[in-house]
Amino acid sequence: MRSELHALGTVRIQVSDIDAWRTFALDVIGFAEGTGPDPDSLHLRMDERPHRLQLVPGDSDKVLAVGWEVRDHLALRRVRAALETAGAPVKDLDEAACTARGVEAGLSCTDPGGTPLEIFCGPALDHSPLVTPFGARFVTEGLGLGHVVVPVHDSEATYAFYTDVLGFLPRGRMRVPAPPSAGGPLTVRFLSTCRRHHTLALMGVPATQPPGLVHIMVEMATLDDVGRTLDRVAAHRVPLSSTLGRHTNDKMVSFYVRTPGGWDLEVGCDGLLVDESAYTAEEITADSYWGHDWSVGQRS
């Protein structure tokens, strides 16, 4: 089964401190400020899309929608049929919602892990030149925003939803050591909809942990872009969650930084493009070849 979903298109998040986010996103990471119909939201642009991330002011930090892109309205119809056949409640985005998101049509549903999803087609484009604050370029062409990692309680049910219903391709897994008191050992499953090694990862967590985000990854064009971003993180004294390193599965050279919302942003480069005709799903036994020291996030 081939997925109708092409890539991670957008993520919409409610944030409790929009001013902190503005500094973090524009002055530290180097997103361009995008556009959207909601004047109170912060729209973050990475490419020809008016925005890839929308930050909506609110009284708490939570995911409002992870948005997946399909080719056209025919593909959207087929996704709707697959969801309905599986018994998943589906709701069409009305005209006002589509206008607010800048898309031709879309639908919403919730995955078994509690993550709200929106699947859409026909995104509007912004043809003005993209000018990022520090000249960084983002890798999105044909690959989408990047990837998102979400916590799930019932890993098997959520995994089956994405693979059997939505057609995501398995791209391996990793077992994370953790004591039984913390729900361990934990399993992370990697999935994709395109040549990017993974556009989604499902992290098994204890039942007490609510739905949300573990991290979002954005890919920059060069190691210099990543290094200069890391310098700005240090200059602004933004807490790192992990030092620079290279992952074993997607080969990404990246670091992780703690966002104002409490989840992580992975900033990387040199991600693997998978040749599906020759790929077989693997189980990695180490997160990284080198680096990615997570103890840095524990230090005071």
Side-chain angles (χ1 to χ4, degrees):
M1 175 183 176
R2 181 180 175 85
S3 179
E4 299 285 357
L5 280 61
H6 276 198
L8 178 63
T10 60
V11 181
R12 197 168 75 257
I13 305 165
Q14 179 177 290
V15 300
S16 58
D17 192 340
I18 195 72
D19 292 332
W21 265 103
R22 180 175 294 278
T23 299
F24 174 81
L26 304 181
D27 299 340
V28 179
I29 303 302
F31 292 105
E33 185 163 5
T35 58
D38 180 2
D40 296 323
S41 291
L42 176 60
H43 301 87
L44 303 180
R45 187 180 173 195
M46 301 168 63
D47 53 17
E48 204 171 22
R49 303 292 174 86
H51 64 270
R52 288 287 191 173
L53 294 165
Q54 181 184 1
L55 307 174
V56 182
D59 58 4
S60 62
D61 296 277
K62 63 180 181 181
V63 182
L64 298 178
V66 175
W68 298 95
E69 182 178 346
V70 300
R71 185 184 188 280
D72 51 31
H73 71 285
L74 299 175
L76 189 65
R77 187 184 303 167
R78 291 190 289 270
V79 171
R80 166 182 267 283
L83 289 166
E84 290 176 338
T85 298
V90 182
K91 181 180 179 181
D92 286 321
L93 299 181
D94 61 22
E95 184 175 352
C98 288
T99 298
R101 289 154 180 75
V103 300
E104 177 185 348
L107 57 84
S108 64
C109 62
T110 302
D111 76 12
T115 300
L117 307 179
E118 291 181 351
I119 301 166
F120 65 89
C121 66
L125 300 181
D126 181 344
H127 300 296
S128 65
L130 174 66
V131 181
T132 58
F134 305 100
R137 293 169 294 141
F138 293 92
V139 178
T140 61
E141 183 66 30
L143 302 172
L145 187 162
H147 71 236
V148 62
V149 181
V150 297
V152 295
H153 303 150
D154 190 337
S155 295
E156 295 304 319
T158 309
Y159 181 69
F161 172 82
Y162 281 104
T163 55
D164 298 344
V165 179
L166 293 180
F168 278 65
L169 296 168
R171 291 276 170 81
R173 71 175 186 174
M174 176 176 66
R175 296 178 182 177
V176 181
S181 60
L186 307 177
T187 298
V188 183
R189 295 185 182 273
F190 303 96
L191 304 162
S192 191
T193 53
C194 62
R195 292 192 66 200
R196 196 185 289 280
H197 178 272
H198 55 281
T199 51
L200 171 70
L202 307 174
M203 175 175 279
V205 297
T208 53
Q209 184 170 330
L213 281 175
V214 177
H215 75 257
I216 292 176
M217 185 281 295
V218 296
E219 184 174 0
M220 291 182 167
T222 70
L223 180 60
D224 287 340
D225 289 331
V226 173
R228 293 185 186 107
T229 306
L230 187 56
D231 281 350
R232 293 192 298 273
V233 167
H236 284 262
R237 300 184 182 277
V238 181
L240 281 178
S241 294
S242 170
T243 60
L244 192 72
R246 185 186 288 275
H247 282 306
T248 54
N249 58 359
D250 66 359
K251 317 307 179 190
M252 187 78 66
V253 176
S254 66
F255 67 89
Y256 293 73
V257 60
R258 184 54 53 97
T259 72
W263 44 272
D264 288 342
L265 181 71
E266 179 185 7
V267 180
C269 65
D270 295 340
L272 173 69
L273 296 179
V274 171
D275 176 1
E276 189 58 36
S277 67
Y279 179 80
T280 57
E282 307 153 324
E283 177 167 330
I284 58 172
T285 56
D287 180 46
S288 305
Y289 291 111
W290 56 266
H292 287 140
D293 178 5
W294 291 93
S295 70
V296 69
Q298 319 278 312
R299 300 170 193 164
S300 56

